[in-house]
Amino acid sequence: AALHLTSDGRSQALHVIRVHRLWEHYLAEETGVEAADWHSEAETREHDLTPEEANSLSHQMGNPVYDPHGDPIPTQAGEIAPHQGKPLTDLDIGQQGRIVHVEDEPDAIYAQLVAEGLNLGMQVQVFESTGKRVCFWANGEEHILAPILAANISVIPIAEAQVPETLSETLAALKEGEVGRVIRISQNCRGLERRRLMDLGILPGTLIEVDFRSPVGDPTAYRVRGCMIALRKEQANHIYITRQTEAA
């Protein structure tokens, strides 16, 4: 006979999935845990919360519908929003899209996608797709992935999505003496790191001037709101700007 879950079994399974994905959202937005560790950390906590505690955690975070990978979070009643998008490998050549899901299993593949800096909300455009590789632009940077990796990224074509303004330049692109006005901080910068940048006064509209680079090129000193701060290239690449002629 075929095996199937009982009603109680299905409810318990959905509860574990709900808690797991709520923890992933919490780790992404409220802590400094690295993206590559969200899944494993959540696995150690997915049996810890009662339904009431899960509801409290969800309410505390604004009742998110999707986790940071784009997977739907079951509601208290067991309802699940649909998965979004289609594999990046199915995007037509020249078509633009927005990343709505990055599969976090298996770990080895997810680690490679994290290393590429790919995250939800990024705009992409495929310019080559073969049985050996998929080449695409993501927020102004070129990426080349094997099809098995690219298939773990889901996108919504631009025509079907509300896509934010295309941003192709970050603070890291400026040279000494140049000024940029902050547009936004990348969605790839989360939790404690994001709050640190905001605490430094890096908010939309802020002018930032490149003061000088270290002899080895990293970090770089920037002038922000009359103060001098140092940022690594990795951090500066999270800050999208438009070039300005005025001084900071």
Side-chain angles (χ1 to χ4, degrees), residues 35-53:
D37 297 326
W38 295 338
H39 182 75
S40 59
E41 284 289 326
E43 280 190 325
T44 67
R45 308 182 186 200
E46 62 190 20
H47 297 283
D48 291 350
L49 301 185
T50 65
E52 292 73 22
E53 290 169 334

Side-chain angles (χ1 to χ4, degrees), residues 14-29:
L14 285 172
H15 171 69
V16 172
I17 294 172
R18 172 173 165 79
V19 173
H20 178 97
R21 293 178 179 173
L22 284 172
W23 274 126
E24 286 190 324
H25 192 280
Y26 177 84
L27 292 167
E29 301 297 339

Side-chain angles (χ1 to χ4, degrees), residues 154-173:
S154 297
V155 300
I156 291 179
I158 286 283
E160 302 173 22
Q162 290 184 338
V163 179
E165 177 185 1
T166 299
L167 303 171
S168 60
E169 193 160 46
T170 68
L171 186 62

Side-chain angles (χ1 to χ4, degrees), residues 40 53 60 68 131 136-137 176 188 203 236-238 243-244:
S40 59
E53 290 169 334
Q60 172 187 330
F136 59 98
W137 295 99
E176 289 186 13
N188 204 27
L203 303 167
N237 269 325
H238 286 314
R243 291 175 182 268
Q244 305 289 304

Side-chain angles (χ1 to χ4, degrees), residues 4-17 47:
H4 65 276
L5 287 173
T6 64
S7 178
D8 287 345
R10 183 177 185 277
S11 294
Q12 181 60 29
L14 285 172
H15 171 69
V16 172
I17 294 172
H47 297 283

